[in-house]
Coordinates of all heavy atoms in Angstrom, one line a residue:
M1 N -44.9 26.7 -22.0 CA -44.4 25.4 -21.8 C -44.7 24.9 -20.4 O -44.4 25.5 -19.4 CB -42.9 25.4 -22.0 CG -42.3 24.1 -22.2 SD -40.7 24.4 -22.9 CE -39.9 23.0 -22.3
R2 N -45.4 23.8 -20.3 CA -45.9 23.3 -19.1 C -44.8 22.3 -18.5 O -44.2 21.5 -19.3 CB -47.2 22.6 -19.2 CG -48.3 23.6 -19.6 CD -49.6 22.9 -19.6 NE -49.9 22.5 -18.2 CZ -51.0 21.7 -17.9 NH1 -51.9 21.4 -18.8 NH2 -51.2 21.4 -16.7
R3 N -44.7 22.3 -17.2 CA -43.8 21.4 -16.6 C -44.5 20.1 -16.3 O -45.6 20.1 -15.7 CB -43.3 22.0 -15.3 CG -42.4 21.1 -14.5 CD -42.0 21.7 -13.2 NE -40.7 22.2 -13.3 CZ -40.1 23.0 -12.4 NH1 -40.8 23.3 -11.3 NH2 -38.9 23.4 -12.6
S4 N -43.9 19.0 -16.6 CA -44.5 17.7 -16.3 C -44.3 17.3 -14.8 O -43.3 17.7 -14.2 CB -43.8 16.6 -17.2 OG -44.1 15.4 -16.8
R5 N -45.2 16.7 -14.2 CA -45.1 16.3 -12.8 C -44.1 15.2 -12.6 O -43.5 15.1 -11.5 CB -46.5 15.7 -12.3 CG -47.5 16.8 -12.2 CD -47.4 17.4 -10.9 NE -48.4 18.4 -10.7 CZ -48.3 19.4 -9.9 NH1 -47.3 19.5 -9.1 NH2 -49.3 20.3 -9.8
S6 N -43.7 14.4 -13.6 CA -42.8 13.4 -13.5 C -41.3 13.9 -13.6 O -40.4 13.2 -13.3 CB -43.0 12.2 -14.5 OG -42.8 12.7 -15.8
A7 N -41.1 15.1 -14.1 CA -39.8 15.7 -14.3 C -39.2 16.0 -12.9 O -39.9 16.5 -12.0 CB -39.9 16.9 -15.1
P8 N -37.9 15.7 -12.7 CA -37.3 16.0 -11.4 C -37.2 17.5 -11.2 O -36.9 18.2 -12.1 CB -36.0 15.3 -11.5 CG -35.7 15.2 -12.9 CD -37.0 15.0 -13.6
R9 N -37.4 17.9 -9.9 CA -37.3 19.3 -9.6 C -35.8 19.6 -9.4 O -35.0 18.9 -8.8 CB -38.1 19.6 -8.3 CG -39.5 19.5 -8.5 CD -40.3 19.9 -7.3 NE -39.8 21.2 -6.9 CZ -40.2 21.8 -5.8 NH1 -41.0 21.2 -5.0 NH2 -39.8 23.0 -5.5
R10 N -35.4 20.8 -9.9 CA -34.1 21.3 -9.7 C -34.1 22.5 -8.8 O -35.1 23.3 -8.9 CB -33.5 21.6 -11.0 CG -33.2 20.4 -11.9 CD -32.5 20.7 -13.1 NE -32.4 19.5 -13.9 CZ -31.8 19.5 -15.0 NH1 -31.2 20.6 -15.5 NH2 -31.7 18.4 -15.7
P11 N -33.1 22.7 -8.0 CA -33.2 23.9 -7.2 C -33.0 25.2 -8.0 O -32.4 25.2 -9.1 CB -31.9 23.8 -6.3 CG -31.1 22.8 -6.9 CD -32.0 21.9 -7.8
R12 N -33.7 26.2 -7.6 CA -33.6 27.5 -8.3 C -32.3 28.3 -8.1 O -32.0 29.1 -8.8 CB -34.8 28.4 -7.9 CG -36.1 27.8 -8.3 CD -37.3 28.7 -8.0 NE -38.5 28.0 -8.3 CZ -39.2 28.2 -9.4 NH1 -38.7 28.9 -10.4 NH2 -40.4 27.6 -9.6
S13 N -31.7 28.0 -7.0 CA -30.4 28.6 -6.7 C -29.4 27.6 -6.2 O -29.7 26.6 -5.8 CB -30.6 29.8 -5.7 OG -30.9 29.2 -4.5
G14 N -28.1 28.0 -6.2 CA -27.1 27.2 -5.8 C -26.6 27.5 -4.4 O -25.4 27.4 -4.1
N15 N -27.5 28.0 -3.5 CA -27.1 28.5 -2.2 C -26.5 27.4 -1.4 O -25.5 27.6 -0.7 CB -28.3 29.1 -1.5 CG -28.7 30.4 -2.0 OD1 -27.9 31.1 -2.7 ND2 -29.9 30.8 -1.8
A16 N -27.1 26.2 -1.4 CA -26.5 25.1 -0.7 C -25.1 24.7 -1.2 O -24.2 24.4 -0.4 CB -27.4 23.9 -0.8
A17 N -25.0 24.7 -2.5 CA -23.7 24.4 -3.1 C -22.6 25.4 -2.7 O -21.5 25.1 -2.4 CB -23.8 24.3 -4.6
L18 N -23.0 26.7 -2.7 CA -22.1 27.8 -2.3 C -21.7 27.6 -0.9 O -20.5 27.8 -0.5 CB -22.7 29.1 -2.6 CG -22.8 29.6 -4.0 CD1 -23.6 30.8 -4.2 CD2 -21.5 29.7 -4.6
A19 N -22.7 27.3 0.0 CA -22.4 27.1 1.4 C -21.4 26.0 1.7 O -20.5 26.1 2.4 CB -23.7 27.0 2.2
V20 N -21.6 24.9 1.0 CA -20.7 23.7 1.1 C -19.4 24.1 0.6 O -18.3 23.7 1.2 CB -21.3 22.5 0.5 CG1 -20.3 21.3 0.4 CG2 -22.6 22.0 1.2
G21 N -19.3 24.7 -0.5 CA -18.0 25.1 -1.1 C -17.2 26.0 -0.1 O -16.0 25.9 0.1
A22 N -17.9 27.0 0.5 CA -17.3 27.9 1.5 C -16.8 27.1 2.7 O -15.8 27.4 3.3 CB -18.3 29.0 1.9
L23 N -17.6 26.1 3.1 CA -17.2 25.3 4.3 C -16.0 24.5 4.0 O -15.0 24.4 4.8 CB -18.4 24.4 4.7 CG -18.2 23.5 5.9 CD1 -18.1 24.4 7.1 CD2 -19.3 22.5 6.0
V24 N -15.9 23.9 2.8 CA -14.7 23.2 2.4 C -13.5 24.1 2.3 O -12.4 23.7 2.8 CB -14.9 22.5 1.0 CG1 -13.6 21.9 0.5 CG2 -16.0 21.4 1.2
E25 N -13.6 25.3 1.8 CA -12.5 26.2 1.7 C -12.1 26.6 3.1 O -10.9 26.8 3.3 CB -12.9 27.4 0.9 CG -12.9 27.1 -0.6 CD -13.1 28.4 -1.4 OE1 -12.7 29.5 -1.0 OE2 -13.6 28.3 -2.5
A26 N -13.0 26.8 4.0 CA -12.6 27.2 5.3 C -11.9 26.1 6.0 O -10.9 26.3 6.8 CB -13.9 27.6 6.1
A27 N -12.3 24.8 5.8 CA -11.6 23.7 6.4 C -10.2 23.6 5.9 O -9.2 23.4 6.6 CB -12.4 22.4 6.2
L28 N -10.0 23.7 4.6 CA -8.7 23.7 4.0 C -7.8 24.8 4.5 O -6.6 24.6 4.7 CB -8.8 23.7 2.5 CG -9.2 22.4 1.8 CD1 -9.4 22.6 0.3 CD2 -8.1 21.4 2.0
G29 N -8.4 26.0 4.6 CA -7.6 27.1 5.1 C -7.2 26.9 6.6 O -6.0 27.2 6.9
A30 N -8.0 26.3 7.4 CA -7.6 26.0 8.7 C -6.5 24.9 8.8 O -5.6 25.1 9.6 CB -8.8 25.4 9.5
V31 N -6.5 24.0 7.8 CA -5.5 23.0 7.8 C -4.1 23.7 7.4 O -3.1 23.4 8.0 CB -5.8 21.9 6.8 CG1 -4.6 21.0 6.4 CG2 -7.0 21.0 7.3
F32 N -4.2 24.6 6.4 CA -3.0 25.2 6.0 C -2.4 26.1 7.1 O -1.2 26.2 7.3 CB -3.2 26.1 4.8 CG -3.1 25.2 3.5 CD1 -4.2 25.0 2.8 CD2 -1.9 24.7 3.1 CE1 -4.2 24.2 1.6 CE2 -1.8 23.9 1.9 CZ -3.0 23.7 1.2
V33 N -3.3 26.8 7.9 CA -2.9 27.6 9.0 C -2.2 26.8 10.1 O -1.1 27.1 10.6 CB -4.0 28.4 9.6 CG1 -3.7 29.0 10.9 CG2 -4.5 29.5 8.6
L34 N -2.8 25.6 10.4 CA -2.2 24.8 11.4 C -0.9 24.2 11.0 O 0.0 24.0 11.7 CB -3.2 23.6 11.8 CG -4.5 24.1 12.5 CD1 -5.4 22.9 12.7 CD2 -4.1 24.7 13.9
A35 N -0.8 23.9 9.7 CA 0.5 23.3 9.2 C 1.6 24.4 9.2 O 2.7 24.1 9.6 CB 0.3 22.9 7.7
G36 N 1.2 25.7 8.9 CA 2.1 26.8 9.0 C 2.6 27.0 10.5 O 3.8 27.2 10.7
L37 N 1.7 26.9 11.4 CA 2.0 27.0 12.8 C 3.0 25.9 13.3 O 3.9 26.1 14.1 CB 0.8 27.1 13.7 CG -0.1 28.3 13.6 CD1 -1.3 28.2 14.4 CD2 0.7 29.5 14.0
C38 N 2.7 24.7 12.7 CA 3.6 23.6 13.1 C 5.0 23.8 12.6 O 6.0 23.4 13.2 CB 3.0 22.3 12.5 SG 3.9 20.8 12.9
K39 N 5.1 24.4 11.4 CA 6.5 24.7 10.9 C 7.2 25.7 11.8 O 8.4 25.6 11.9 CB 6.4 25.3 9.5 CG 5.8 24.4 8.5 CD 6.9 23.4 8.0 CE 6.3 22.6 6.9 NZ 7.2 21.5 6.5
V40 N 6.5 26.6 12.4 CA 7.1 27.6 13.3 C 7.6 26.9 14.6 O 8.7 27.2 15.1 CB 6.1 28.7 13.6 CG1 6.6 29.6 14.7 CG2 5.8 29.5 12.4
V41 N 6.8 26.0 15.1 CA 7.1 25.3 16.3 C 8.3 24.4 16.1 O 9.2 24.3 16.9 CB 5.9 24.6 16.9 CG1 6.2 23.7 18.0 CG2 4.8 25.5 17.2
V42 N 8.3 23.6 15.0 CA 9.3 22.7 14.7 C 10.3 23.4 13.8 O 10.1 23.4 12.6 CB 8.8 21.4 14.1 CG1 9.9 20.4 13.8 CG2 7.8 20.8 15.0
S43 N 11.3 24.0 14.3 CA 12.2 24.9 13.5 C 13.3 24.2 12.8 O 13.9 24.7 11.9 CB 12.8 26.0 14.4 OG 13.5 25.4 15.4
D44 N 13.5 22.9 13.1 CA 14.6 22.2 12.5 C 14.2 21.3 11.3 O 14.8 20.3 11.0 CB 15.4 21.4 13.5 CG 14.7 20.2 14.1 OD1 13.4 20.3 14.0 OD2 15.3 19.3 14.5
D45 N 13.1 21.7 10.7 CA 12.6 20.9 9.6 C 13.6 20.8 8.4 O 13.7 19.8 7.8 CB 11.3 21.5 9.0 CG 10.0 20.9 9.6 OD1 10.2 19.9 10.3 OD2 8.9 21.4 9.4
A46 N 14.2 21.9 8.1 CA 15.1 21.9 6.9 C 16.3 21.1 7.2 O 16.7 20.3 6.3 CB 15.5 23.4 6.6
E47 N 16.8 21.1 8.4 CA 17.9 20.3 8.8 C 17.5 18.8 8.8 O 18.3 17.9 8.4 CB 18.5 20.7 10.1 CG 19.7 19.9 10.5 CD 20.9 20.1 9.5 OE1 21.0 21.1 8.9 OE2 21.6 19.1 9.3
A48 N 16.4 18.5 9.3 CA 15.9 17.1 9.3 C 15.7 16.6 7.9 O 16.1 15.4 7.6 CB 14.6 17.0 10.1
L49 N 15.2 17.4 7.0 CA 15.1 16.9 5.6 C 16.5 16.7 5.0 O 16.7 15.8 4.2 CB 14.3 18.0 4.8 CG 14.1 17.7 3.3 CD1 13.3 16.4 3.1 CD2 13.4 18.8 2.6
R50 N 17.4 17.6 5.2 CA 18.7 17.5 4.7 C 19.4 16.2 5.2 O 20.0 15.5 4.4 CB 19.6 18.7 5.1 CG 20.9 18.9 4.4 CD 21.6 20.2 4.7 NE 20.8 21.3 4.2 CZ 20.2 22.3 5.0 NH1 20.4 22.2 6.3 NH2 19.5 23.3 4.5
R51 N 19.2 15.9 6.5 CA 19.8 14.6 7.0 C 19.1 13.4 6.3 O 19.8 12.4 6.0 CB 19.6 14.6 8.5 CG 20.6 15.4 9.2 CD 20.4 15.3 10.7 NE 19.2 16.0 11.0 CZ 18.6 16.0 12.1 NH1 19.0 15.4 13.1 NH2 17.5 16.7 12.3
F52 N 17.8 13.5 6.1 CA 17.1 12.4 5.5 C 17.6 12.2 4.1 O 17.8 11.0 3.7 CB 15.6 12.7 5.5 CG 14.8 11.7 4.8 CD1 14.5 10.4 5.3 CD2 14.3 12.0 3.5 CE1 13.8 9.5 4.6 CE2 13.5 11.1 2.8 CZ 13.2 9.8 3.4
V53 N 17.7 13.2 3.3 CA 18.2 13.1 1.9 C 19.6 12.6 1.9 O 19.9 11.7 1.0 CB 18.0 14.4 1.2 CG1 18.7 14.4 -0.2 CG2 16.6 14.8 1.0
R54 N 20.5 13.1 2.7 CA 21.9 12.7 2.7 C 22.0 11.2 3.1 O 23.0 10.5 2.7 CB 22.7 13.6 3.6 CG 23.0 14.9 3.0 CD 24.0 15.7 3.8 NE 24.2 17.0 3.2 CZ 24.5 18.1 3.9 NH1 24.7 18.0 5.2 NH2 24.7 19.2 3.2
G55 N 21.1 10.7 3.9 CA 21.1 9.4 4.4 C 20.6 8.4 3.4 O 20.8 7.2 3.5
S56 N 20.0 8.8 2.3 CA 19.5 8.0 1.3 C 20.6 7.5 0.4 O 21.5 8.2 0.0 CB 18.5 8.8 0.5 OG 18.1 8.0 -0.6
A57 N 20.5 6.2 -0.1 CA 21.5 5.7 -0.9 C 21.5 6.3 -2.3 O 22.5 6.5 -3.0 CB 21.3 4.2 -1.1
V58 N 20.3 6.8 -2.8 CA 20.2 7.4 -4.1 C 20.9 8.8 -4.1 O 21.4 9.2 -5.1 CB 18.7 7.6 -4.4 CG1 18.5 8.3 -5.7 CG2 18.0 6.2 -4.6
A59 N 20.9 9.4 -2.9 CA 21.5 10.8 -2.8 C 23.0 10.7 -3.0 O 23.6 11.6 -3.6 CB 21.2 11.4 -1.5
S60 N 23.6 9.6 -2.7 CA 25.1 9.5 -2.8 C 25.6 8.7 -4.0 O 26.7 8.8 -4.4 CB 25.7 8.9 -1.5 OG 25.2 7.6 -1.3
D61 N 24.7 7.8 -4.5 CA 25.1 6.9 -5.5 C 24.2 6.8 -6.7 O 24.4 6.0 -7.6 CB 25.2 5.5 -4.9 CG 26.3 4.7 -5.6 OD1 27.1 5.2 -6.3 OD2 26.2 3.4 -5.4
G62 N 23.1 7.6 -6.8 CA 22.1 7.5 -7.8 C 22.4 8.3 -9.0 O 23.4 9.1 -9.1
P63 N 21.5 8.3 -10.0 CA 21.7 9.0 -11.3 C 21.6 10.5 -11.1 O 22.1 11.2 -12.0 CB 20.6 8.4 -12.2 CG 19.6 7.9 -11.3 CD 20.3 7.4 -10.1
V64 N 20.9 11.0 -10.1 CA 20.8 12.4 -9.9 C 21.6 12.9 -8.7 O 21.3 13.9 -8.1 CB 19.3 12.9 -9.8 CG1 18.6 12.7 -11.1 CG2 18.6 12.1 -8.7
S65 N 22.5 12.1 -8.2 CA 23.3 12.4 -7.0 C 24.1 13.7 -7.1 O 24.3 14.4 -6.1 CB 24.2 11.3 -6.7 OG 25.2 11.1 -7.7
F66 N 24.4 14.2 -8.4 CA 25.1 15.4 -8.5 C 24.2 16.6 -8.1 O 24.7 17.7 -7.9 CB 25.6 15.6 -10.0 CG 24.5 15.7 -11.0 CD1 24.0 16.9 -11.4 CD2 23.9 14.6 -11.6 CE1 23.0 17.0 -12.3 CE2 22.9 14.7 -12.5 CZ 22.5 15.9 -12.9
L67 N 22.9 16.4 -8.0 CA 22.0 17.5 -7.6 C 22.0 17.7 -6.1 O 21.6 18.8 -5.7 CB 20.6 17.3 -8.2 CG 20.4 17.3 -9.7 CD1 19.0 16.9 -10.0 CD2 20.7 18.7 -10.2
V68 N 22.3 16.7 -5.4 CA 22.3 16.8 -3.9 C 23.5 17.4 -3.4 O 24.6 16.9 -3.6 CB 22.0 15.4 -3.3 CG1 22.0 15.5 -1.8 CG2 20.8 14.8 -3.9
P69 N 23.5 18.5 -2.7 CA 24.7 19.2 -2.1 C 25.3 18.4 -1.0 O 24.7 17.7 -0.3 CB 24.2 20.5 -1.7 CG 22.7 20.5 -1.6 CD 22.3 19.3 -2.4

């Protein structure tokens, strides 16, 4: 079977795609590591979230207010 000159060429391997995929995964991994370090530095996250939820009108008067401690 002969290849036509007008047919678009396709790469024989996906090395470039694999490299880009690995780069994206590495960037996402770095983001998650930095987010985890931020959680360690800011230790009152849980208390801040609790205050935010309790300050909401839905938490005290909404249809699911019984779920909020």
Side-chain angles (χ1 to χ4, degrees):
M1 194 165 151
R2 293 186 66 184
R3 179 186 258 174
S4 167
R5 290 275 181 200
S6 64
R9 291 184 54 186
R10 293 185 182 182
R12 293 185 188 263
S13 68
N15 289 338
L18 287 173
V20 169
L23 185 65
V24 168
E25 285 189 27
L28 282 174
V31 167
F32 279 109
V33 166
L34 290 175
L37 289 175
C38 183
K39 296 278 186 192
V40 171
V41 172
V42 181
S43 61
D44 68 336
D45 265 350
E47 184 58 35
L49 178 64
R50 193 173 295 116
R51 282 181 290 175
F52 174 76
V53 170
R54 285 186 182 154
S56 172
V58 175
S60 60
D61 208 20
V64 292
S65 61
F66 65 92
L67 293 175
V68 179

